[in-house]
Amino acid sequence: MRILPEPVRRALTRLWDAGFEAYVVGGAVRDALLQCAPRDHDIAMDASPEQIRRLFGGCRVIDTGLAHGTVTVRIEHMPLEITTYRAEYPKDAGIKQEAAAVRGLHPEEAPTQKGAALQSGVSRGLWADLACRDFTFNALAWHPDAGIIDPFGGAQDLANGIVRCPGTPASRFREDAVRILRALRFAAVYGLRIEPQTAQALRENRLLLRASAAERVREELTQILCGAFAAKVLEEYAETVAVVLPEIAPMFGFEQKNPHHDKDVWRHTLAVVEAAPAEPVLRWAALLHDAGKPACFSLDADGVGHFYGHAGQSAQLADAVLARLRFDTCRREQIVRLVRRHDTPVLPAERQLKRLLNQLGEADTRRLIALQRADTCGQAPVCLERLPLLEKAGQLLDALLREKACFSLRDLAVNGDDMLALGLRGKAVGAALDVCLCAVLDGAVPNERAALLQHVQKNAEDSV
């Protein structure tokens, strides 16, 4: 394993010196095998949460998951999750029996002495704990005297690119249905293949996801969407994802009957997701941008399909999805705005780009161009001629920003004090500034103080 951060080493030493078993488990060990820096370090041990609290009395201790025997200890600003062995803390003793069954032995046959634990690579408590984890490559532990402990072949599964549950897959998913999405996430992010028994179990148990916490579902879906293999996973497990996103189901197999589209609505959506930059706001907008199409479908006299008003319908559906998954207001509004505007062509026109910058800001204007580029890539080849226009729009946007073009009130060469000096008061001040901004955005007046003051005065005279 890579060198442990000092706070982790200190925590382990304190636990060992107190006579407890303690192992680094899960993601940190997996990431070490992948030769990438771990995002966090979790510790599994045979102490109870009460013992952990007493042992780390001088540190901040938070009961983050007491129902599962987990407390978070903050050492030198680093949060460490320390969890009692899963087979020892839960009230359901069946977990221990399940863990033993995985190895084909009875619980009493598991090694019990610390020496035997290190010699065999797994103690009774650790063995049962690892057996209850989601996937074999997360059912890993590390101890300096034993190295990496891998009772279920997780390292080999990782090397072979396989997602597999330890023990009975259905039991793992029934313990925590969000593991179904976690399996899809590992497949989407790392390009892993879900082995047949695990895939069958997650499909058979997918309806359990309906009772899962919205926040956890949101985070897993976001990571799935941002994975390099998101489109492949969403296509293969569409019915499973539709349990938590029923709004996508009407898109499945919905033929568009339009010369601009050579794919049904769902396959077009997957192509757009794949072509969009792997950034959460963009990937969510890509997934939902055409969700309203089936409800807006109509055929003209020539048998050509149309989807009038689908952008607005898609925006409404997107807003409902994001609210249900408890997205924060800022991100929800960003995604909904992109969905609502996705089919309004962005052109290399200075006036339009300034308006977009004023309405969306730089980041979301860039996102809109990126979304339209991805949308175009997902359409029929005849539409690809739009790509050069979008490229020119992006270049013009860069030029406007380099030139510090005026696209907001703060960029104007005049301010409220100038309006007061002209004798304006109250709401008239803001209204005059808005008139100035509109004139600059339209290219009717240069963003120069004298020209703007003259424009305000003329506008006031004309309104008398």
Side-chain angles (χ1 to χ4, degrees), residues 146-181:
I148 292 178
I149 300 166
D150 180 13
F152 305 109
Q156 190 62 50
D157 282 345
L158 199 60
N160 292 336
I162 292 174
V163 180
R164 180 167 61 90
C165 291
T168 307
S171 297
R172 303 289 77 79
F173 296 136
R174 288 170 191 153
E175 289 163 2
D176 181 1
V178 175
R179 288 172 170 176
I180 292 170
L181 297 179

Side-chain angles (χ1 to χ4, degrees), residues 166-223:
T168 307
S171 297
R172 303 289 77 79
F173 296 136
R174 288 170 191 153
E175 289 163 2
D176 181 1
V178 175
R179 288 172 170 176
I180 292 170
L181 297 179
R182 283 172 59 81
L184 303 188
R185 186 237 295 178
F186 281 111
V189 172
Y190 297 106
L192 307 182
R193 177 176 59 86
I194 302 175
E195 65 91 23
Q197 286 186 333
T198 300
Q200 180 181 349
L202 72 81
R203 287 190 171 104
E204 291 175 349
N205 290 276
R206 66 184 186 273
L207 295 183
L208 296 174
L209 284 166
R210 291 175 175 171
S212 299
E215 295 86 351
R216 296 184 66 204
V217 170
R218 178 193 67 223
E219 293 309 308
E220 293 298 335
L221 288 175
T222 299
Q223 292 185 70

Side-chain angles (χ1 to χ4, degrees), residues 50-61:
E50 292 74 18
Q51 290 172 312
I52 296 171
R53 282 196 208 91
R54 287 196 296 269
L55 195 58
F56 291 93
C59 303
R60 186 183 179 193
V61 180

Side-chain angles (χ1 to χ4, degrees), residues 106-153:
H106 296 292
E108 57 270 17
E109 294 179 272
T112 56
Q113 300 300 317
K114 188 172 280 190
L118 295 178
Q119 183 178 0
S120 67
V122 59
S123 73
R124 177 174 181 162
L126 178 65
W127 175 27
D129 182 274
L130 297 180
C132 298
R133 292 182 178 266
D134 51 5
F135 309 113
T136 57
F137 49 66
N138 287 332
L140 300 167
W142 177 85
H143 188 286
D145 296 329
I148 292 178
I149 300 166
D150 180 13
F152 305 109

Side-chain angles (χ1 to χ4, degrees), residues 11 14-15 18 20-22 43-63 65-66 68-75 80-85 89:
R14 186 177 299 192
L15 294 168
F20 293 111
E21 284 186 9
I43 296 172
M45 61 175 304
D46 57 354
S48 68
E50 292 74 18
Q51 290 172 312
I52 296 171
R53 282 196 208 91
R54 287 196 296 269
L55 195 58
F56 291 93
C59 303
R60 186 183 179 193
V61 180
I62 308 166
D63 294 336
L66 202 55
H68 305 288
T70 300
V71 296
T72 297
V73 177
R74 187 172 289 276
I75 301 177
L80 304 175
E81 283 196 356
I82 304 178
T83 304
T84 304
Y85 287 149
Y89 189 73

